[in-house]
Amino acid sequence: MRRLVLAWMLALVSFLAQAAVYTWSQYHLNFEVPDGGFVTYNSNTRFEIQWDEMVMTVQLYNKQESNDKLIRENLQRKALGYSMYDLKQGKIKVKGFKGLTIDGTMPDGSRAIIADLVSKKQDLIVEVTVNYLYGNREMVDDMIKSFAENNKNQPNREKHRQKVQTREKAKLEEQKRQQEKQRQQQEQQRRRNEKLYDA
């Protein structure tokens, strides 16, 4: 378990250290992806980039008249168009956007997520589609959460804050754990005694 956590943390650190920032200056739209990707398409409204184990497409749409129901129906239609199955709809928190998602499994067994990020600043929907292998989900979420609208050409970098606990709270929690452990032991002893008397 420790090795798995260590490997994940190293992957996250290397992702943060080796990231490429892209900017759509016309929309003041910025986002961050892992370095080493190969851009396969780039236009005024569409961007595609791929790596060995992942492909990302970003498509821009005018917001016009859209609500959650229409966006969810559109996500469902797009997912079915890719023949995705085991679909799950959800939300994603992206600063400055309202984010709705659908994710599932592609016919080849890889995973995919489609996220519609509805801008709170301009008449824009950013649709992000990522096809990835199973173990890369945290990296995919970080890529989607990096989308930002600003003039500084800076992506949104979520700050992971570690909660610091006071000594008093730590002692209190330890006491609660000990009490719960004692209660479980007493319950086990009571059950053993009942079984002896029943026999």
Side-chain angles (χ1 to χ4, degrees):
M1 182 66 177
R2 268 188 172 167
R3 288 182 183 175
L4 182 63
V5 171
L6 182 60
W8 180 82
M9 291 183 73
L10 287 173
L12 181 61
V13 168
S14 65
F15 168 72
L16 294 173
Q18 301 174 358
V21 176
Y22 289 93
T23 299
W24 247 311
S25 55
Q26 179 181 353
Y27 302 99
H28 305 291
L29 187 66
N30 312 287
F31 59 97
E32 192 169 49
V33 297
D35 202 11
F38 180 70
V39 177
T40 56
Y41 191 84
N42 188 5
S43 74
N44 290 341
T45 58
R46 187 175 178 87
F47 177 82
E48 293 178 8
I49 186 168
Q50 70 178 28
W51 300 264
D52 289 338
E53 301 177 344
M54 191 164 43
V55 177
M56 176 183 186
T57 303
V58 182
Q59 180 73 48
L60 304 180
Y61 297 101
N62 286 335
K63 195 184 322 184
Q64 298 174 354
E65 291 183 27
S66 61
N67 57 41
D68 286 5
K69 183 181 178 187
L70 290 173
I71 292 172
R72 288 191 187 285
E73 288 173 359
N74 182 53
L75 288 171
Q76 183 83 18
R77 188 172 57 251
K78 293 246 173 145
L80 293 175
Y82 288 123
S83 300
M84 289 168 60
Y85 59 94
D86 292 338
L87 299 176
K88 181 181 168 190
Q89 291 190 340
K91 295 180 180 181
I92 190 166
K93 289 185 179 181
V94 181
K95 189 176 179 181
F97 296 91
K98 180 176 188 176
L100 300 173
T101 65
I102 191 165
D103 64 276
T105 305
M106 296 291 273
D108 66 357
S110 63
R111 302 286 296 162
I113 183 170
I114 307 170
D116 274 1
L117 308 178
V118 182
S119 173
K120 295 179 181 177
K121 294 182 179 178
Q122 52 185 324
D123 186 29
L124 186 68
I125 295 178
V126 180
E127 187 170 272
V128 183
T129 305
V130 186
N131 181 220
Y132 62 97
L133 295 181
Y134 190 72
N136 294 330
R137 180 55 190 257
E138 290 83 11
M139 187 182 298
V140 171
D141 285 346
D142 286 343
M143 289 165 44
I144 295 171
K145 290 177 181 179
S146 76
F147 277 81
E149 293 175 296
N150 58 53
N151 298 329
K152 301 172 187 174
N153 297 341
Q154 290 295 315
N156 180 27
R157 291 187 176 101
E158 193 172 284
K159 295 177 183 173
H160 300 284
R161 294 182 181 159
Q162 184 177 0
K163 293 183 179 178
V164 179
Q165 194 176 48
T166 63
R167 282 187 184 191
E168 292 79 22
K169 285 188 178 180
K171 285 180 183 179
L172 188 63
E173 283 190 15
E174 181 60 31
Q175 287 174 354
K176 286 180 182 178
R177 279 194 290 271
Q178 290 298 328
Q179 289 172 353
E180 179 62 23
K181 188 176 179 182
Q182 287 176 352
R183 188 193 65 75
Q184 288 175 352
Q185 289 173 345
Q186 289 172 353
E187 181 66 23
Q188 287 175 351
Q189 186 62 40
R190 186 185 63 78
R191 287 182 185 161
R192 280 190 220 121
N193 290 342
E194 283 179 0
K195 286 181 184 177
L196 289 174
Y197 292 130
D198 289 343

